[in-house]
Amino acid sequence: MKRLLRGGTVINGSGAVLADVLLDGEKVAAVGRNLDAAGAEVVDAAGMLLLPGFIDAHTHFDLDVCSTTTADDFAAGTRSALRGGTTTVVDFACPNKGESLQYGLDLWHRKADGRCACDYGFHMTIDDWNGQIRAELPAMFDAGISSFKMYMTYPAMMIGDRDLFEALTAIGELGGIAGVHCENSGVIDALIARRLAAGETGPGSHPLSRPAPLEAEAVGHLLRMAQVAGTPVVIVHLSAEESLLEVRAARARGQKVYVETCPHYLLLDDRVYFQEDYSAAARYVCAPPLRKPTDCSALAAALSADEIQTISTDHCSFTLAQKDAGRDDFTRIPGGLPGVETRGTLIYSALAAPGTLSLSQMVRVLSEQPAKLYGMWPRKGVIAPGCDADIVVYDPDADTVIAAADQLSAAGYTPYEGFRTRGSIRSVYLRGTLAVDRGQVLEDRLGQYVKREKPIFF
Ligand code: MN
């Protein structure tokens, strides 16, 4: 079937142009002025922004954390994603220590296959390192996995400097990319122990035991290891201004370093943790924690200066009842925020509409650059002939207010309650099919696994 989106403004990472977009089946067939509408259903897109479907390269659906499971499984999470204009997610397959990568990959396929509303791929978590896991890496690339995740904190996940270095080296040799959670584990453990010993068990102790310098230290530590390994890395969910200083230093040495941040580090700050009401504070617990308002503005400035390449959500949702597990001990609060549905609208409203980011810059961090880094370019991340017809139709005049009651996530709350948006999503096409229209998800089982190629380093 052919569809002609007529007269919208097509925004790509490379620029904006007033044009028609012709969809033919699952692909974009043409972009240009006054395209021939013969045989096509014509959709009036005058006054609309036509954006490449958003890619959220950091989600956690159906994940066991802190003896509980995220509120959103793949069905709920990808429906929520799609409604928010995200046509592709990259989730983290996560084998436990002692399990093979293939076991983890099979498990994540069982969680996701046949249940997803948007397209999906997996990063592979490496939380164990030995000769067998090293030997599995080429098979992972063959299975469409070209990016790997490692942790410098969390005992269940971290592998230590020696193994982290060996894994970085091996991933680099194979042409892949590593994303790393950077926080200094040992000092955080010491600070947590102090607060618990002092009886300071509330959510306010969470940010106080994970201060920004301990993220920056780990970023610098990782980047020095990556320098020796010669491997490009992504600093996932970078939250602090001090961490940016480490990134700048590594780039000045000539290293390839990519930075991901998240809407909550741009729009929220750590004052929320110091509310009297437990539930009001605990809902914001995530790691790294929310930072200071000065960090939020430093991240916005870094985005504006093209120092940050991707904005993902780290969507990891728990209900307030689940968050209750930490009433007597903040370390038992399951960490993570919902956000997969609101990312595009928030970034447009808070950064693009006010002019902090150009529309093309916004498309680069939401779509183009995640597509390149995670091996999906140019199939995804751009509106151009031959690419997947994943398109967000954004109405810049349809302002709205974000409310939990209007969200599809099973979290039951949104960190952005009451946020006034600038415009909103009118409709979403997933590979040529109208999948969301005026807030209604029309198709919720069309998501396909994306077998990803190697990263394009830029
Ligand atoms: Mn995460």
Side-chain angles (χ1 to χ4, degrees):
M1 150 170 205
K2 287 188 180 181
R3 236 189 216 112
L4 186 73
L5 310 184
R6 176 170 274 166
T9 303
V10 177
I11 316 286
N12 279 316
S14 54
V17 58
L18 193 65
D20 302 336
V21 179
L22 181 65
L23 316 185
D24 189 356
E26 297 200 340
K27 299 289 183 182
V28 173
V31 179
R33 286 287 183 83
N34 304 315
L35 294 181
D36 180 7
E41 175 195 304
V42 176
V43 179
D44 179 14
M48 300 293 127
L49 305 175
L50 304 180
L51 310 167
F54 306 141
I55 297 170
D56 191 337
H58 194 148
T59 66
H60 300 283
F61 299 142
D62 202 352
L63 178 69
D64 298 334
V65 179
C66 273
S67 346
T68 188
T69 305
T70 53
D72 287 305
D73 61 8
F74 274 87
T78 57
R79 275 185 105 234
S80 184
L82 187 66
R83 188 163 181 263
T86 291
T87 48
T88 308
V89 297
V90 191
D91 200 87
F92 292 85
C94 200
N96 295 308
K97 282 187 195 283
E99 295 170 349
S100 68
L101 302 185
Q102 188 63 50
Y103 177 86
L105 179 58
D106 292 344
L107 180 59
W108 250 256
H109 273 298
R110 283 200 298 277
K111 291 172 189 259
D113 290 353
R115 312 187 66 223
C116 287
C118 68
D119 285 355
Y120 61 99
F122 305 123
H123 309 285
M124 180 55 63
T125 305
I126 294 181
D127 54 17
D128 207 355
W129 185 253
N130 53 50
Q132 268 173 315
I133 286 178
R134 169 70 182 82
E136 281 194 274
L137 289 179
M140 289 296 111
F141 283 80
D142 293 342
I145 313 284
S146 55
S147 49
F148 299 84
K149 170 80 174 288
M150 289 173 288
Y151 290 81
M152 298 175 79
T153 187
Y154 303 135
M157 317 290 281
M158 54 195 282
I159 56 176
D161 282 357
R162 176 178 174 161
D163 289 346
L164 178 50
F165 175 73
E166 294 290 5
L168 285 174
T169 306
I171 291 162
E173 285 169 0
L174 292 165
I177 191 155
V180 182
H181 179 133
C182 297
E183 285 187 292
N184 181 304
S185 172
V187 182
I188 287 171
D189 286 348
L191 294 177
I192 287 173
R194 282 186 196 176
R195 302 210 76 85
L196 291 177
E200 293 163 357
T201 57
S205 286
H206 175 69
L208 295 174
S209 55
R210 312 184 86 92
L214 300 182
E215 178 185 302
E217 185 280 333
V219 170
H221 190 105
L222 170 75
L223 290 177
R224 284 300 188 177
M225 289 195 281
Q227 181 185 14
V228 178
T231 302
V233 289
V234 185
I235 311 298
V236 298
H237 50 51
L238 184 141
S239 69
E241 181 174 21
E242 285 170 85
S243 302
L244 287 171
L245 304 180
E246 301 294 332
V247 170
R248 288 175 190 140
R251 287 179 177 155
R253 296 193 290 268
Q255 287 180 246
K256 278 275 182 216
V257 184
Y258 301 94
V259 174
E260 170 196 87
T261 192
C262 310
H264 44 281
Y265 299 122
L266 291 156
L267 299 174
L268 304 170
D269 64 73
D270 69 357
R271 287 172 292 189
V272 296
Y273 296 122
F274 302 98
Q275 305 175 79
E276 275 299 310
D277 178 50
Y278 169 83
S279 173
R283 70 184 65 189
Y284 294 101
V285 165
C286 58
L290 304 176
R291 303 296 189 187
K292 304 291 181 199
T294 49
D295 292 291
C296 301
S297 42
L299 292 173
L303 277 163
S304 176
D306 297 323
E307 293 183 287
I308 293 176
Q309 286 67 45
T310 69
I311 299 177
S312 309
T313 61
D314 199 4
H315 181 100
C316 189
S317 57
F318 299 99
T319 64
L320 297 181
Q322 288 177 296
K323 293 271 185 185
D324 256 357
R327 257 185 201 275
D328 301 319
D329 175 354
F330 69 95
T331 66
R332 296 184 184 278
I333 304 171
L337 302 184
V340 77
E341 190 167 332
T342 44
R343 178 183 58 134
T345 304
L346 286 171
I347 297 307
Y348 177 82
S349 301
L351 296 175
T356 304
L357 290 183
S358 72
L359 290 171
S360 285
Q361 279 181 308
M362 178 185 83
V363 163
R364 291 206 290 274
V365 295
L366 294 180
S367 305
E368 177 183 312
Q369 289 169 170
K372 287 179 173 172
L373 271 187
Y374 299 118
M376 296 181 277
W377 177 271
R379 177 178 162 194
K380 294 188 182 292
V382 61
I383 299 175
C387 71
D388 281 358
D390 297 338
I391 296 174
V392 176
V393 180
Y394 199 90
D395 182 346
D397 296 321
D399 298 3
T400 182
V401 176
I402 294 177
D406 183 49
Q407 300 280 304
L408 296 181
S409 165
Y413 78 98
T414 164
Y416 309 101
E417 187 72 35
F419 181 97
R420 294 188 161 275
T421 73
R422 302 275 296 271
S424 54
I425 290 167
R426 168 174 288 200
S427 50
V428 181
Y429 293 88
L430 175 66
R431 281 178 283 100
T433 298
L434 178 64
V436 176
D437 192 39
R438 291 170 171 82
Q440 299 301 308
V441 177
L442 306 176
E443 300 283 350
D444 66 2
R445 285 294 185 276
L446 294 183
Q448 293 181 354
Y449 176 67
V450 181
K451 229 178 137 192
R452 297 180 295 114
E453 308 290 327
K454 288 179 183 178
I456 294 172
F457 297 115
F458 54 90

